[in-house]
Every structure is written in structure tokens, then in C-alpha cells.
Amino acid sequence: GYFEQELDNDGKIVVNISINAEQQRAKIDFTGTSLQLNNNFNAPAAVCKAAVIYVFRTLVNDDIPLNAGCLQPLEIIIPQGSLLNPKYPAAVVAGNVETSQHIVDALYGALGVLAASQGTMNNLTFGNDEYQYYETICGGAGAGPNFNGCDAVQTHMTNSRITDPEVLEWRFPVLLEEFSIRQNTGGNGKYQGGDGVFRKIKFLTKMMVSILSSHRIKPPFGVQGGCAGAVGKNQIIRYNGEIVKLAGCAQITMQQGDCLEIKTPGGGGYGMK
């Protein structure tokens, strides 16, 4: 299998997978992937290898331990100086939280067994001199053979839960005005991609907000004729009604009464209807 996964920032992950059934070995070749980027979406080679282990372990219908032995039948080629094997001092903070998701989706795309998930952790941080907070926000999972993608779920590398609304509002000067499923944002297909979510937070004091997210431009792909999921959107509703649209990666000051709206992507669909 072969697949090209384009990132919102013009980076590209290319993977070619060849399997030798007789020798029970596989070669995973990332040659053709973009050179390391001048942003922080570069991923160390260890992150790439971890994503490969994750994907191939999910393909094994057995309860096997997760350790380095999983790599023995796999030959992984990651070109030096690429965004998946960058040279120092490349910035890599988004490599583990964002690029890892793209690697996983590219691998599943090359194998043709699973559509793209929301492909992002929607990393949200806010704070000031007194408060600091960080959360990742769920979205749609990709559909596969014989199953629909899940709605409003943390996918693949995320594996985390979000803070309870009561705890969030008790500990921080914010109000969670809405946290709901974005209906009909999963890709259509024989099996439907999962829906993303809508999260709206009102700030009761001045704070700095940062968002690190993906699939705000390029949609999560469908496979085997399935349609892509909806892209995510970030914006601010100022206390005076002004709307400020945010890029996938942005930092902005929130004033008292401002609302942050985050719409996460849906998963891709699988198969033609």
C-alpha cells in the first residue's frame, strides 16, 4: 500500500508499505516525506516508530505484549532530515500530539483498513499569572470495514479524558457554555465516520489562550470510496459580538466576557453507499 497525507501547513507524510508473507516481514518506507519544517510539527523518529508499532499491533488479532519485540519483523525507513526524523535544533513540540496522529492515519490509509480519525488532539491551553490549564478535545473516529466511527471520542494516540465541567468551573474562572456533538460532521459512506464536537468556553477574567490543532484546512480522508470528514474550526466571540476567526495554531488574549468556540473534525467514512 501507498499513501500521502497532507498537513495543513503544507507538510506531507508519504508511506509505502510492502509485506513479504513468505518471510513474515514488512517494510514501512517513509521516503518522499517532506523535509523538516520551520514550525514545531516535526516528530522525532521515536514518535514515528511508536506510531508504527501501534498500528501494526492493532492488526494482530491476539493479546500480545507491547514491547520492542513487535519491531523485529518490521523494517522502518525514515529519511534523516525529514519531518519524521528531524535534525537538531528542529522544533518538535507538536510532533507527539499532532504529527503522530497523521502518521497513524497515513499508515491505515496505505493499508486501506481504516479511514482517518479527527487526526488532532485539539490542544487547548489558557491561563494567566494565577491560573494555568491544558486539555485535549475529542472528535470523530474513522470508520472501517463493518463498523461506523465513534462520535466524540479521543482517537489513537490521545487516550485521555477531559476535565468534568463541574471541576473546570470550580477551579477556573470560566463557564462551559456548551459541549455537544457536531451532528453530520462524520464522512458519509457505507459505514459512517464519527462526528466531532462543539465546545464553547466563556472567560470570566482576562487570560491568554493558545490552540494547537490540525485538520482546519485539509479534511480527514475517507477510504474505499468513503467521504472525508468535516474540518474543524476555531473562533472567538468577543463580549461585544465581534467574531475573530482563528487559525489551527493560534495564540490570543481573551477579555472578560469573551467566548472561545472550538469545533473538532469528524472522522472519514468507509466504503461507498
Side-chain angles (χ1 to χ4, degrees):
Y2 176 87
F3 200 81
E4 296 186 6
Q5 168 81 320
E6 294 186 353
L7 282 60
D8 285 351
N9 54 30
D10 295 328
K12 182 170 66 173
I13 296 172
V14 176
V15 61
N16 193 349
I17 301 175
S18 55
I19 296 174
N20 188 319
E22 186 176 321
Q23 296 181 6
Q24 295 189 346
R25 295 186 59 83
K27 178 190 287 187
I28 302 94
D29 188 352
F30 291 95
T31 298
T33 294
S34 297
L35 297 176
Q36 64 190 62
L37 306 172
N38 60 1
N39 55 42
N40 57 24
F41 276 74
N42 303 291
V47 169
C48 185
K49 291 178 182 178
V52 171
I53 293 177
Y54 166 78
V55 168
F56 275 80
R57 187 167 180 264
T58 63
L59 301 176
V60 177
N61 189 23
D62 198 0
D63 186 17
I64 59 174
L66 181 57
N67 55 44
C70 298
L71 285 171
Q72 287 186 357
L74 304 178
E75 179 185 358
I76 305 173
I77 301 172
I78 315 171
Q80 283 196 343
S82 70
L83 76 89
L84 302 182
N85 191 8
K87 297 178 181 178
Y88 180 85
V92 296
V93 71
N96 191 44
V97 294
E98 295 296 296
T99 308
S100 62
Q101 301 268 21
H102 293 299
I103 299 168
V104 167
D105 283 337
L107 290 166
Y108 281 128
L111 296 165
V113 296
L114 188 67
S117 71
Q118 67 159 344
T120 176
M121 296 190 188
N122 304 291
N123 305 269
L124 173 66
T125 61
F126 60 76
N128 53 24
D129 291 341
E130 188 175 357
Y131 300 97
Q132 294 84 41
Y133 179 73
Y134 169 47
E135 69 182 18
T136 64
I137 307 173
C138 56
N146 306 317
F147 61 87
N148 297 319
C150 291
D151 302 331
V153 66
Q154 299 282 17
T155 56
H156 300 316
M157 324 313 294
T158 324
N159 194 30
S160 60
R161 284 183 166 181
I162 204 164
T163 305
D164 292 332
E166 297 83 0
V167 175
L168 177 66
E169 295 180 347
W170 172 47
R171 294 185 179 179
F172 299 91
V174 298
L175 289 175
L176 182 59
E177 293 205 334
E178 184 172 347
F179 189 29
S180 60
I181 294 177
R182 286 180 76 198
Q183 300 291 339
N184 303 315
T185 52
N188 289 324
K190 183 177 181 181
Y191 297 98
Q192 189 82 10
D195 289 335
V197 302
F198 174 65
R199 189 165 176 84
K200 184 177 182 180
I201 301 173
K202 184 175 184 179
F203 287 79
L204 305 182
T205 190
K206 183 178 178 180
M207 286 194 184
M208 180 67 73
V209 163
S210 296
I211 180 75
L212 177 62
S213 60
S214 303
H215 283 306
R216 267 49 184 179
I217 299 173
K218 309 285 187 181
F221 62 83
V223 296
Q224 307 295 345
C227 296
V231 296
K233 298 179 181 179
N234 309 323
Q235 68 178 20
I236 291 171
I237 309 295
R238 295 291 190 189
Y239 64 91
N240 60 4
E242 177 190 2
I243 298 177
V244 180
K245 296 189 182 300
L246 301 178
C249 301
Q251 186 177 62
I252 194 166
T253 300
M254 304 293 289
Q255 304 295 336
Q256 182 179 352
D258 289 349
C259 291
L260 174 66
E261 295 185 347
I262 297 178
K263 299 177 181 179
T264 67
Y270 184 95
M272 298 182 66
K273 273 192 172 181

